[in-house]
Every structure is written in structure tokens, then in C-alpha cells.
Amino acid sequence: MEEEKKEKSKPSCNIKIFVLCHSLLQLTQLLHSAYFKSCITTIERRFGFNSMSMGTVSSLHEMGNMVLVVFVSYFGSRVNRPRFIGFGGLLMSCAAATLALPHFLSKPYQYNFMSAAGGSWDTCVPRENSSAPEVCRQGGGGDPSEARTQWLTLAAAQVLFGIGSVPIQPFGISYIDDFAEPGNSALYIAILFSISVFGPAFGYLLGSMMLRIYVDVDKIGLDSPLDLTPSDPRWVGAWWMGLLVSSGCLALASIPYFFFPRVKVPAQAKAPKTESDPLKDETSSETSLIDFLKMFPRLLLRMLLRPVFLLLILSQCCFSSSIAGLATFLSKFLEHQYGTTAAYGSLLIGAINLPMAAVGLLLGGVVMKRVRPPVRTLLWLCLVPLSLSILLCVPLFFMGCSTQRVAGVNTGYGDTQDQWANRSLSLCNSNCSCLNNVFNPVCGEDNTEYISPCHAGCTNVTIDTLNPHRVQTYTMCSCVTALSAVPAGAAGMGIGRALPGSCTKGCPHLVLPAILLIAFAGFIASLSHNPIYMMVLRTVFQEEKSFAIGVQFLLIRMLAWLPAPAVFGLAIDYSCVWWKHACGNKQGACGYYDNNILRNRYFGLQVGYKCLGLVLLALAGWRVQHTPCLSIEKEPEVPV
């Protein structure tokens, strides 16, 4: 009797430990994904990528996941699920470390141009620069072949991460469901998601810490003096350090899975086949992999021919596309729209935006548990909060400011009215022969920004006495209109001064109201997540639920999370008004955006996706009105 009691208590102990381990693994997985998104702007600046290429990289892990999701549906409980989860975690750890490889394989980041005269401040050297050939900066995205190699490395690592993540959630949840005591499965799964939901917030907070450290700290030392600060538009943080942290955490979280036993569902626990179990008959354990692959298109088509099911999944794809664009480029948007640093933007997202969304998800689940409404009421629980979230986005179209005045980009030099005749040169700097691949913004005392001290016509610099590597002021700037006292001998010439860095944005005070409004809109929208999910489950037969969930995740990945980041990146790229040039005519990252166009396109895409999702959801509700009464507690009488 005592041995039987020990055997009964062992599974209970094992499943609690498994839930804890799986919670930590999923938390670390989400931490890594959120951290990588927080570093997208930094990686763009470091290697000269545009937003579309980085949006594509960000979504490529979905491709690796989609390729193998069919095999996960087939294998199910036929394999040692904990061991497969452990191998998947180790594969994700290797992928996270591979993402950091471009830092170690590339040359140090170079943000200043060394002129022929030996200067390193990008200043105007009359007649000296005119004969100097244009030099391709190394380490700043200057070499096209090197940038291509770095992009391919990032892309391959993302695909590898997607492959490793395939068994994590389906195998983990099914293992818990098979191993848990009767009635405790839902509790364990709720604990699992309650812990892992903190992963994205921790990822953005980690990004906020790492992006305050200089990118080449491993090559120059932590205490080395720098002429850059985190607020400088050329600053690149140590994006690779957080990837090594997440890689180590993923490896540690994967080790315990190799010590969990393989669990098989007892024969007596399996439901007997009935005449209404066609899907079980076709996907039974005796079915070979080849036969399953042959049947999969037919099973998928049969599932997609359900009108309500298809409309609900397509509406989820629209809402997920909006979330994908928000998660991938919100940090970049805050940086260019309100002038925040990459570290501060990540801090705001991790401390405000993501916790609000998590609270909304939890509150939506509590409402579903207490109210238990019928499907028709579920529809209104989806339509009302989603409509309100769209209305909350309307003020965001007006909570921003125009791009600062940039000479040769959106305004002329001095009194020059023909601002489009020559974007980079004017009479005041024509003798400087400024290079196209220099990007070192300075702010003149006339509140006009210049692409570099050379473009401002500055010939002298004043060095900071506390840091000999940092410029305090640029002086004798022939393109800057002097508003203060000019040096002796320069009277009447209009020669002014300039400070290093970009001019202050016109509306930095709006960043907190904007992020609070975005967070509140996300909180309201997340209330509809559980109702939509339950509507999907209540519109298919009981024996089809596992397959329906697999189809749901497949379509959301394929139609939303894979293309949406690239679509948002393309919209952001088309808002650019001045591109950096790294080498010759090679286009690098964007230097300046039209803030009004950027804001309208970024939020316009999100609102457009949500409106399309609402229409599809309303069509699903209209179809439900013509079906037998559905309840959240029972299956549909007919497929809908």
C-alpha cells in the first residue's frame, strides 16, 4: 500500500516541477523575443539596415515554426515530449547566441570620418577635403558584402530559433494535460501563462539596461572615455550582450527536461471511437506519417470550409497583424517621433505597455470564468472593447510634432529659398566638399539641424575639459546664422556656433501621454482575446479542437506574424525623407523621417487592420445568428 501511495504522489510532484520549469522556459523564450524587438532600431543603425529588412528578420522565426507545425500535429504523444522540449530549448539557445555573431565578426563601430587632414570631428577643412576620395566607413554598415553577410546571419538565426520553438508550447501543454490530476489541468495551465506573461516585460527592461552600454565595450573597456552619449543619434548600445544573457538562460532552462519521464495516456483513458469521430479515425496512432501528410490538406480544407471558423481566424489574423507592428516598431516610433533614446523607449514599453496588456488578458479570463456567456454574447464582448480601442487610437494621430528643421533636407541653408535644388550643399559649405557618407548631426544656434559639422561649415571645435574625446561646441560655422556675439574679426559674416547632436524635438512632453494612451488601448483590446479564443473552440466539434487550434496558430503565423512586420517596416521606410549613404550610392539606414507621415502611416495601418478585423468579426456574428443556439459549455450541434 505504501509503495502504491508513493507511485501516486510521484506524478503529482513531477507535474508541479514540470509546470515550474516550463513556465521559466516560456518566460525566457518570450524575454528573448521581446529583447530582440527592443534592439531593432539599434541594429539598423549599427549595420545600416532599413526597417523593411529588419522587419523581415524579426518575423522569420515564424517561418521556421510554420514549416514543422504539421509534424508536431502528427507526432503528438508518440515521442518523448520532455526530451523534445529540451532539445528545442537548446536549439533556441544556440540561435540566440548566433544572433550576436555579427558583432564579433564585424569591425569596431566607426561613426566619425577621418579626413585627409587627420581630423576626426567631421569638420570643414577648406581645400583639404576637396581632393580626398570618399572613404567607405568600416564597421558602420559601409561594406555592402559585409552588411549582406550580417543580415543573412541574423535571418538564419531567426529561422533556427523558430525551429527550436516548435515543440515548446504544444508538447508542454499536452504533457501537463496528460500528467495532471483530474481537474487540475486548467489550474496548471493558468499558472503557466501567468508566469510566462512577464517574459516580454522583462525583455524590454533588459533592453533598457543593455542599450545604455556602448556597443564595443568588450573592445575598448567599460571605463574608456567616449565622445558619444546615449542621446546622440549615432549612439549604438550593446545589443549583443542581452542576446548572450537570453542564450544562457534558455540553455539553463532546457536542462531539466532531460530528467522528466515520458508519459503515455492510459488505454482506458482514451475516448472510444464513435461514428462522429472522423478526424480521430484519420489521425489515429496507426496512421503513418506519409498517410498523415497526404490527409493533411484535405483535413485543413474541410476545417477552412466552416464559415464562422474561417471568419474568426481571419479576424484574429487582422488583430495579430496590428499587435505585430506595434511590438516590432513601437520603440523605433517613440525614438523618432518624440526623441526618446532606445533605452528609455524600451523602459516605457516594458514598464507600462506590456503590463497593461497582461492585466487585460487576465481580466478577460476572469470575466469569461464568472459570466460563462453564450456565443452570441461572446460576440459583443469582442466587438465592444475592440471598437473602443480603435476610438482610443484616434487622438494618437494628433499627438506628435513635425520633423525638426534640417538644412538641405526639409529646409534651406540660411536665407536660401530653393531648398530642393541641392539637398546637401550650399554656397556656405561648397568649399568644404563634405562627403555623402558622413552622418554626425549638429544643432545650430539658429535652431536648425545640420547633417554634420562639415555641412554646417564649422571649422573649429571646443573640446570638453572633462573628456578630451568629446566635443563641447563647434565654432566658426559659416552656414549657421549667429544669434549671439560673434568672434572678433567675424562681424558681419553671420558665423555662428553649433552643439553636437540633434536639435530637441518639438513635443518630447507628449511621450508619456502617448504611451499611456497606447497602453490603455492595448488593455481594452486584450479584454477580447479570451472571448474570441472561446468562440473558436465552441464552433468546432470536441474531437476537432486540437486540430482546430493547430490550424489557428498556423494561419495566424502565416497571415499575420510573418508578413506584418515587413509591411509595417515598408510603410516606415516610405516615410523617410533622407537616407544615410554608407559607401558611394549604397543606401543605408534612414537618417530623417517625415514625422507627420510616419505617425499617420504607423497608426493608420494599425487602425486599418483592426477595422478589417471588426468587419470579419461582425460577419461571423451574423452567421452565428443563423445557427442553432450555442453555449460556452457545450459543443455545437452542427459545424459552423
Side-chain angles (χ1 to χ4, degrees), residues 425-477:
L425 298 178
S426 181
L427 292 175
C428 61
N429 61 17
S430 59
N431 194 38
C432 300
S433 299
C434 304
L435 302 182
N436 291 330
N437 61 352
V438 173
F439 181 70
N440 182 8
V442 295
C443 184
E445 60 179 308
D446 55 357
N447 203 33
T448 299
E449 187 169 322
Y450 299 86
I451 296 172
S452 73
C454 181
H455 288 83
C458 303
T459 56
N460 293 338
V461 296
T462 302
I463 306 301
D464 191 343
T465 55
L466 300 178
N467 185 355
H469 295 271
R470 182 173 298 167
V471 175
Q472 190 173 34
T473 312
Y474 292 95
T475 57
M476 302 299 290
C477 304

Side-chain angles (χ1 to χ4, degrees), residues 121-185:
W121 309 115
D122 298 328
T123 54
C124 172
V125 183
R127 294 181 302 278
E128 293 279 352
N129 286 0
S130 59
S131 60
E134 186 165 329
V135 178
C136 294
R137 292 176 295 161
Q138 301 299 322
D143 188 353
S145 61
E146 180 180 307
R148 192 179 306 112
T149 302
Q150 292 154 351
W151 187 90
L152 290 175
T153 303
L154 295 174
Q158 281 290 85
V159 173
L160 186 67
F161 189 88
I163 294 174
S165 65
V166 168
I168 305 301
Q169 191 166 2
F171 281 178
I173 293 178
S174 63
Y175 187 88
I176 293 173
D177 190 53
D178 291 345
F179 212 156
E181 305 89 340
N184 285 346
S185 176

Side-chain angles (χ1 to χ4, degrees), residues 98-111:
T98 305
L99 276 175
L101 270 183
H103 168 75
F104 300 99
L105 298 179
S106 59
K107 298 179 181 179
Y109 174 55
Q110 185 176 330
Y111 47 86

